[in-house]
Each structure stands twice: as C-alpha cells, then as structure tokens.
Amino acid sequence: SQTIHQWPATLVQPVGSPLSLECTVEGTSNPNLYWYRQAAGRGLQLLFYSVGIGQISSEVPQNLSASRPQDRQFILSSKKLLLSDSGFYLCAWSKGVEQYFGPGTRLTVT
Amino acid sequence: KQEVTQIPAALSVPEGENLVLNCSFTDSAIYNLQWFRQDPGKGLTSLLLIQSSQREQTSGRLNASLDKSSGRSTLYIAASQPGDSATYLCAVGEDDKIIFGKGTRLHILP
C-alpha cells in the first residue's frame, strides 16, 4: 500500500532563516506531487505541483521554491522566511483523480 | 478562474440530527469533486469523490451530490455524532490540480 511521509511535524523558525520541508511517498512510482499551505483563517492553497522529476509548476508567487530530486521525493524550501510563511503545510500525491495527503508540518515563523 | 465557496463557515448542531454542508463553484468544467475531512492540526482525509459524470456518492452515513450545471455540491451527514466534529473541505478537480474551498467547521453538540 502507498504511504506518504512529511517531516518535521512541527517547526519554529526565526524570520530570515532558511527552510526545508521534505515529503516522500512509498509504494507507487511516478506520482504527481503537490505542496499546499493552509494559513490561519484561510483555505487550502496550492503552492507547487510536479508531474515528474525536475518538473515543477508554481501556482502563486512567493519566496518559496520546490524541488523534486527523486521520483518520490518533494522538497519545499525557502532562503529567507517571512512572518507570512507561517501555516500548515501539506504534501499530497496522486496517480489518478484522487489526491492523498500527508500528515502535514506546522510552521511557525517568529 | 475557478472559485470554490463553502457555506456556512461554521455550524453547530445537536447530536443525532441530520445536516447538510454546501459547496459551490464558479466554473462547471470540472473533472471531479471531492469532500475531505480535516481534524485540528492534522492532514486531510478523503471522504467521497464524485466524478463529473456522476450525480452522487454514498459512504456509510455520508452522501455527496453533484450538480455540475448549477455549480453546486452538498454533503449530507445522517444521524450526526460527536466524532463527526471536524472541518469539512470541498475541492474541485481540474487537470492536474484541485481547488479547495475554505471549509465548514462542524461542531456536534453531545
């Protein structure tokens, strides 16, 4: 069966520090991968999606970036965090119409 | 641009009652519609997926309907229980991405 992992589960970082969140999927190959953010009081927002290694599409302009160095690995990064980057970050994968979500990372930027 | 709206934003009902959550979308050219459940601080759990050619899907006490032409979907929960308390998210599928509503926070009163 397929599983999706995200780490860390929680993270507190100061403004201006770098960020790296990792997501890995097991039990499938060549999935579509997604990064979402849920900010306080707001809906879930798609940040990036990838249909293959090295293929990244960005949905919103921001100081975040994503990379897919391996088929089942998706990384969300930032060189300098902003206060507005605080939120709940969810990774998801799909092979067809349904998306399956990871447990999420709670990021607090102080 | 697709917009997904969920009304109400929050709902409290006594245990045992039947209830309906509403979702509307502006562009009827969707591939599918999903209802998710999110518990506080946790990832998303897919509840029901309705393909664009379908009218409804049922799972246990849950029934979701889809009316593409009017841009509406409803999630019906029968005989509500305190364990149903969560945020319910509606999401429409387009190509390789999905667009989420902001959710309805449901609180079932014991």
Side-chain angles (χ1 to χ4, degrees), chain A residues 59-102:
Chain A
E59 289 298 299
V60 293
Q62 62 225 325
N63 69 321
L64 299 171
S65 61
S67 62
R68 186 170 178 174
Q70 300 180 41
D71 181 44
R72 291 169 291 175
Q73 184 185 30
F74 206 22
I75 298 173
L76 183 70
S77 304
S78 174
K79 293 182 179 178
K80 290 185 177 182
L81 283 169
L82 306 173
L83 284 174
S84 58
D85 291 325
S86 293
F88 191 56
Y89 288 80
L90 284 161
C91 179
W93 72 273
S94 74
K95 285 282 282 188
V97 295
E98 278 196 82
Q99 292 198 6
Y100 303 91
F101 287 80

Side-chain angles (χ1 to χ4, degrees), chain B:
Chain B
K1 181 182 176 184
Q2 179 73 268
E3 292 184 5
V4 181
T5 304
Q6 290 186 247
I7 295 174
L11 181 65
S12 293
V13 299
E15 180 180 1
E17 285 197 3
N18 303 326
L19 61 100
V20 175
L21 306 181
N22 296 294
C23 172
S24 61
F25 46 95
T26 54
D27 187 347
S28 61
I30 65 172
Y31 287 176
N32 55 67
L33 185 142
Q34 266 184 282
W35 283 93
F36 293 89
R37 168 186 175 138
Q38 185 178 29
D39 292 287
K42 296 188 177 181
L44 303 182
T45 301
S46 179
L47 298 173
L48 290 164
L49 170 70
I50 311 176
Q51 303 283 11
S52 62
S53 59
Q54 297 174 323
R55 299 282 294 184
E56 66 176 347
Q57 283 286 329
T58 298
S59 176
R61 294 182 293 109
L62 305 180
N63 176 275
S65 69
L66 174 63
D67 185 341
K68 266 185 55 176
S69 60
S70 66
R72 295 177 188 273
S73 175
T74 61
L75 179 66
Y76 175 83
I77 302 177
S80 58
Q81 302 170 358
D84 294 331
S85 297
T87 296
Y88 291 80
L89 292 158
C90 165
V92 299
E94 296 181 341
D95 295 328
D96 283 323
K97 54 188 177 183
I98 61 176
I99 297 95
F100 285 83
K102 292 186 177 181
T104 294
R105 292 189 312 278
L106 177 63
H107 181 48
I108 305 300
L109 306 169

Side-chain angles (χ1 to χ4, degrees), chain A residues 12-62:
Chain A
V12 180
Q13 292 283 97
V15 168
S17 63
L19 173 74
S20 181
L21 303 181
E22 189 163 345
C23 170
T24 59
V25 181
E26 296 177 357
T28 187
S29 61
N30 196 32
N32 291 341
L33 296 172
Y34 309 81
W35 276 112
Y36 292 89
R37 176 172 61 198
Q38 189 174 39
R42 301 178 65 179
L44 207 62
Q45 181 184 39
L46 177 63
L47 301 176
F48 301 95
Y49 70 96
S50 171
V51 298
I53 295 175
Q55 301 178 60
I56 310 293
S57 296
S58 174
E59 289 298 299
V60 293
Q62 62 225 325

